[in-house]
Amino acid sequence: MQYEFSIQVTPEVSANLDLLKTQVSIKNGLPIDEIRHILILKRSIDARQKAIKVNLKIKVYVQEDFVEESIQLPEYPDVSNASEIVIIGAGPAGLFAALRCVELGCKPIVLERGKDVRNRRRDLKAINRDHIVNEDSNYCFGEGGAGTYSDGKLYTRSKKRGDVNRILRLLVGFGATDQILVEAHPHIGTNKLPAIIASIREKIKQHGGEIYFETRVTDFKIKNSEINAVVLHNGDVIETKKVILATGHSARDIFELLYKKNIDIEAKPFALGVRVEHSQQLIDQIQYKCEVRGPYLPPSPYSIVKQVGGRGMYSFCMCPGGVIAPCATSPGEVVTNGWSPSKRDQPTSNSGIVVELRLEDFKEFSEYGPLAGMYFQKKIEQRAWHLAGETQRVPAQRLVDMTLGKTSLNLPETSYKPGLTSVDMHEVFPKFIHKTLQEGFKAFDKSMRGYLTNEAVVHAPESRTSSPVRIPRDRFTLEHTQIKGLYPCGEGAGYAGGIISAAIDGEKCAEACVATIA
């Protein structure tokens, strides 16, 4: 017999199958010697009270042996000679669009401006050590997109977008731990993601799909409001009637190209702010209300939202046991982001802390039309680069000093490898953002006592939270509202906000595109 239960236990019981069996037996009146196996279906931590509990959804096998399920990938056909669909970008949206195309019997041709995951590492080393930014290969551009080397969080609130569990199961099929199916906030880790991404790439190629790296699209050929071809940086032309545009939130050259060619795009609100680093021990103490986390609890994350003067200010992409990375995509700018390895075992934690922006905030850049938000974003990144010394060092300030408007006389070493320059944040941001951050951090401390400490360091800016542009598409066909055969997709087009939602959108665009092929 199999029974499903929800049960709340201590962290120690959650981590010990024998103790869990005893608890299940006592609470549900099942003879312990008849319990053959307990399968944990879902796990979440409840740290709201001093006595921390773990919520489990479990399946109990009573007088019945457990047979472990092996997750199987779909039966992918050979699409070598099938109808072709060009996919621009090999981030999660582009790769999952390509997989779905193969599954549905069409041949994807994926064009990625950056390098494959292995060769991409050299350019990440160069930006960290030598302050050299490769405009086509960096933390944002390259195989797997920004997600590959930016943590691998798989949690999404966008349950209505599509089948989250399908994407998770595909990731497990390609090598991710099956624990991502269990945890409330699943996470793969930057150290694990590259091998998974490479497995996806090989599967696409094995079944007849094509993937080209260091291949940047520089133009579209359009006739009678229909896509006819894409032009590459070397002058090559690929004729096509179907293009899935999945270039990510930092492909500014693509936004510029669309605007130049009078292809409809829209300015979109986004959020911008800083990335703040604390010791992981402090965050654990605040969140778990204990001096020492202990062996049965993971490094604690946090999530916090406040309204400050009518604007939202909130944590974004919080990385427990993680580090801060340089994520510029062009020389002359600095950008921060964060990531965690799979074990989340670094001594520091960091989070983007960002302020919501509105379209009216971009009035100074109205001459750029729908690109106003992008130029607002760009100006802050360039100003930060200049203030920090025109390298990949970033403006930084101790957290309490920031709230007081006081330049920090010295800065501790942080996980951000290119280095820090002491700068008062009011020089980096417009007054309304700076003031919101100052007041917001004080409000944060009321919810998380001890958060506001001068041992924490603010790094600026955290500016690539989402795309500053939306590329409009039909609600049902997912085609661009103006250009037939063009399918705006994923984060860059304004329809996703993370690995899972981007992957779901990639699949949806592939399905819509394939449906139009006779």
Side-chain angles (χ1 to χ4, degrees):
M1 295 286 290
Q2 298 176 20
Y3 302 93
E4 284 194 14
F5 300 113
S6 292
I7 186 171
Q8 191 175 70
V9 298
T10 66
E12 182 179 5
V13 170
S14 172
N16 186 305
L17 186 57
D18 289 334
L19 293 177
L20 182 58
K21 278 185 179 180
T22 300
Q23 286 271 25
V24 170
S25 174
I26 293 169
K27 290 189 175 183
N28 296 284
L30 299 173
I32 194 167
D33 58 346
E34 294 183 4
I35 298 176
R36 304 273 181 87
H37 185 75
I38 296 178
L39 178 66
I40 298 176
L41 302 174
K42 289 293 177 183
R43 181 192 295 112
S44 64
I45 295 171
D46 186 347
R48 291 173 294 180
Q49 306 299 323
K50 189 166 185 179
I52 298 169
K53 298 294 184 181
V54 178
N55 298 316
L56 299 177
K57 182 180 179 182
I58 58 176
K59 181 179 286 187
V60 183
Y61 291 75
V62 179
Q63 293 185 321
E64 180 181 333
D65 290 334
F66 167 68
V67 179
E68 187 171 0
E69 177 192 9
S70 176
I71 291 179
Q72 301 295 320
L73 291 171
E75 290 291 330
Y76 294 110
D78 186 333
V79 296
S80 302
N81 299 311
S83 298
E84 296 177 350
I85 296 173
V86 170
I87 300 171
I88 305 175
L95 288 176
F96 276 84
L99 277 175
R100 190 66 173 139
C101 283
V102 173
E103 189 178 354
L104 295 173
C106 283
K107 178 179 179 177
I109 299 176
V110 183
L111 310 176
E112 169 54 51
R113 68 190 299 164
K115 299 177 183 177
D116 63 72
V117 286
R118 183 170 190 152
N119 288 310
R120 193 176 168 190
R121 289 193 183 106
R122 299 173 189 168
D123 298 308
L124 304 187
K125 186 175 181 180
I127 192 172
N128 274 291
R129 187 187 65 186
D130 304 319
H131 304 255
I132 297 171
V133 180
N134 182 327
E135 292 187 88
D136 289 320
S137 179
N138 44 63
Y139 276 98
C140 290
F141 298 147
E143 186 179 21
T148 303
Y149 293 104
S150 304
D151 202 45
K153 290 182 183 65
L154 303 176
Y155 176 65
T156 178
R157 293 185 178 88
S158 306
K159 307 295 184 184
K160 294 180 181 179
R161 290 180 188 267
D163 190 347
V164 171
N165 202 53
R166 169 182 160 84
I167 302 299
L168 294 176
R169 290 174 68 86
L170 283 171
L171 287 168
V172 172
F174 282 107
T177 170
D178 61 6
Q179 289 305 294
I180 67 173
L181 301 171
V182 173
E183 300 296 340
H185 294 83
H187 164 261
I188 292 178
T190 300
N191 54 322
K192 302 284 188 181
L193 267 167
I196 295 166
I197 296 299
S199 294
I200 293 173
R201 173 227 307 156
E202 290 306 310
K203 180 64 70 174
I204 293 167
K205 292 172 67 176
Q206 284 168 13
H207 291 271
E210 298 177 10
I211 300 182
Y212 298 95
F213 296 108
E214 299 182 73
T215 303
R216 178 161 37 88
V217 171
T218 57
D219 200 3
F220 301 109
K221 290 195 172 184
I222 296 166
K223 185 176 181 181
N224 298 326
S225 297
E226 182 177 8
I227 200 86
N228 268 243
V230 295
V231 182
L232 307 183
H233 69 287
N234 60 2
D236 288 352
V237 176
I238 299 176
E239 294 184 357
T240 179
K241 295 288 188 180
K242 303 292 178 185
V243 173
I244 296 175
L245 185 63
T247 50
H249 59 42
S250 292
R252 289 171 172 167
D253 56 335
I254 292 294
F255 299 149
E256 295 272 15
L257 173 63
L258 295 174
Y259 185 46
K260 179 182 176 183
K261 296 184 76 70
N262 294 314
I263 296 173
D264 289 345
I265 59 176
E266 304 164 353
K268 169 183 155 297
F270 61 103
L272 181 149
V274 297
R275 188 155 283 269
V276 61
E277 182 171 280
H278 290 79
S279 75
Q280 183 60 50
Q281 184 180 18
L282 175 64
I283 297 302
D284 289 341
Q285 289 170 349
I286 294 171
Q287 294 295 86
Y288 291 145
K289 305 172 185 68
C290 60
E291 284 300 312
V292 180
R293 181 176 79 235
Y296 303 113
L297 288 170
S300 177
Y302 64 84
S303 177
I304 193 162
V305 180
K306 295 290 180 184
Q307 286 290 315
V308 184
R311 284 185 188 270
M313 174 172 156
Y314 56 93
S315 56
F316 170 82
C317 184
M318 195 274 155
C319 302
V323 301
I324 300 177
C327 292
T329 52
S330 294
E333 65 188 28
V334 290
V335 180
T336 66
N337 199 353
W339 57 264
S340 300
S342 57
K343 292 183 179 178
R344 292 179 161 172
D345 54 1
Q346 299 300 302
T348 51
S349 74
N350 67 81
S351 181
I353 306 296
V354 295
V355 176
E356 68 168 334
L357 302 179
R358 302 164 184 152
L359 296 182
E360 57 263 33
D361 297 325
F362 312 142
K363 286 180 181 177
E364 179 186 348
F365 301 91
S366 58
E367 64 185 285
Y368 298 104
L371 300 180
M374 188 185 85
Y375 276 88
F376 176 94
Q377 180 189 59
K378 192 174 182 178
K379 182 177 180 180
I380 289 173
E381 295 168 359
Q382 292 174 337
R383 183 189 297 143
W385 174 79
H386 175 71
L387 289 167
E390 301 187 349
T391 65
Q392 282 302 299
R393 296 171 69 89
V394 293
Q397 193 171 14
R398 290 179 181 265
L399 183 53
V400 174
D401 288 346
M402 181 191 171
T403 64
L404 298 175
K406 174 183 173 184
T407 302
S408 300
L409 297 178
N410 57 69
L411 294 168
E413 184 177 342
T414 71
S415 65
Y416 184 82
K417 294 301 182 187
L420 314 176
T421 299
S422 182
V423 173
D424 192 323
M425 291 297 157
H426 87 269
E427 296 185 69
V428 178
F429 298 105
K431 185 176 180 179
F432 76 93
I433 294 178
H434 182 248
K435 188 69 174 175
T436 302
L437 289 168
Q438 285 183 308
E439 296 305 314
F441 278 124
K442 295 173 188 176
F444 277 24
D445 195 60
K446 293 177 181 177
S447 297
M448 294 177 61
R449 292 291 183 185
Y451 184 93
L452 186 57
T453 169
N454 236 16
E455 296 307 306
V457 179
V458 173
H459 305 62
E462 166 72 69
S463 50
R464 307 288 179 92
T465 57
S466 67
S467 178
V469 168
R470 177 174 286 108
I471 307 173
R473 69 188 188 189
D474 183 270
R475 182 179 174 185
F476 301 104
T477 67
L478 305 189
E479 271 187 314
H480 189 274
T481 52
Q482 177 191 9
I483 306 299
K484 186 178 179 182
L486 179 64
Y487 294 80
C489 180
E491 280 204 51
Y495 299 101
I499 292 173
I500 295 296
S501 58
I504 289 172
D505 202 57
E507 287 207 328
K508 286 167 58 178
C509 286
E511 290 161 6
C513 190
V514 170
T516 65
I517 296 174

